[in-house]
Amino acid sequence: MGTVFAGGEAVPAAIAVSERTEMPSEIFTVRRVDVHTGMPYTEFVTALEKAAPPLDPGVFELIEEEGGSWDDVRAAMAKIAPHHLIRYWRINGTQVLKLAGGTTRSVEYLIGNHVIAQSMFQYNPRALLYAPLRMMVWSEDKGDAVCTMHRPSDEFRSLGNAEVAKIGEDLDRYVIELLRLCGVEAEQDFA
């Protein structure tokens, strides 16, 4: 049986899991962040997809096939995602909704890092409800991109665990850093 550190104390993992899963349903507030990039839609999407590379599942399948460890996964993720975040999924909303007469360009992503997700999961499995992060890029009438998402720290803070909340704050910073790599200053949007 593994050990989890909860509140600075070592707790057997089985006990920690049973205690943390008895959280009642509750209502919480989350801030939706709309970052007006000031960049043309296609230019911003290209920059974002360069800054957050796509998941290559083959890398992690090979680690498992070769009997690798979680440390190998950590090392691979650090190499693949030097800015902490990768793209797990992408859906082209423009294409999906085009036949309905939609004219707004949009793309949705799941962006995250499974090493970071595991660091929260160990404290509360519900963290996977919010990890990876859901992000949408859409075009304003004038053609500039808007990047919209829920502020990660709000979502993870809702789980009632200080360690998870701290990692959520780190994710705010990682998203801000990612957007900065794309040429957009978003620190004030996440304040």
Side-chain angles (χ1 to χ4, degrees):
M1 174 173 22
T3 301
V4 172
F5 290 91
E9 294 183 47
V11 178
I15 294 171
V17 169
S18 68
E19 289 175 0
R20 71 175 175 235
T21 58
E22 294 177 17
M23 185 175 163
S25 297
E26 65 181 273
I27 296 171
F28 69 96
T29 301
V30 62
R31 177 179 294 205
R32 185 188 65 238
V33 179
D34 290 324
V35 178
H36 296 266
T37 67
M39 295 173 65
Y41 174 84
T42 301
E43 181 181 334
F44 179 77
V45 167
T46 300
L48 179 64
E49 292 185 1
K50 181 179 178 186
L55 170 68
D56 178 358
V59 170
F60 302 102
E61 290 167 4
L62 185 61
I63 290 170
E64 185 177 357
E65 287 171 9
E66 293 179 348
S69 68
W70 189 248
D71 287 336
D72 296 323
V73 171
R74 282 187 186 105
M77 185 58 82
K79 183 177 179 182
I80 293 166
H83 306 293
H84 308 286
L85 301 171
I86 62 171
R87 287 181 285 121
Y88 288 98
W89 180 75
R90 177 189 199 274
I91 185 167
N92 183 335
T94 307
Q95 183 180 24
V96 170
L97 302 174
K98 187 177 186 177
L99 292 178
T103 58
T104 301
R105 298 176 73 190
S106 67
V107 61
E108 291 181 72
Y109 301 99
L110 291 180
I111 291 183
N113 179 316
H114 46 282
V115 172
I116 295 171
Q118 187 281 331
S119 69
M120 294 182 287
F121 182 83
Q122 69 180 331
Y123 297 109
N124 190 323
R126 290 179 188 92
L128 294 187
L129 180 62
Y130 307 119
L133 308 172
R134 188 172 178 178
M135 179 183 287
M136 178 183 178
V137 179
W138 53 281
S139 63
E140 295 181 291
D141 291 341
K142 64 181 182 175
D144 285 350
V146 178
C147 181
T148 299
M149 67 184 304
H150 288 165
R151 186 168 58 178
S153 58
D154 292 341
E155 292 183 322
F156 294 110
R157 188 176 303 111
S158 76
L159 298 175
N161 179 283
E163 289 84 358
V164 172
K166 167 72 174 87
I167 296 165
E169 292 169 4
D170 292 341
L171 284 163
D172 287 354
R173 288 189 290 278
Y174 298 155
V175 171
I176 291 166
E177 177 184 335
L178 183 71
L179 295 174
R180 187 173 292 129
L181 288 169
C182 298
V184 176
E185 291 299 325
E187 195 164 354
Q188 290 302 312
D189 297 291
F190 284 81

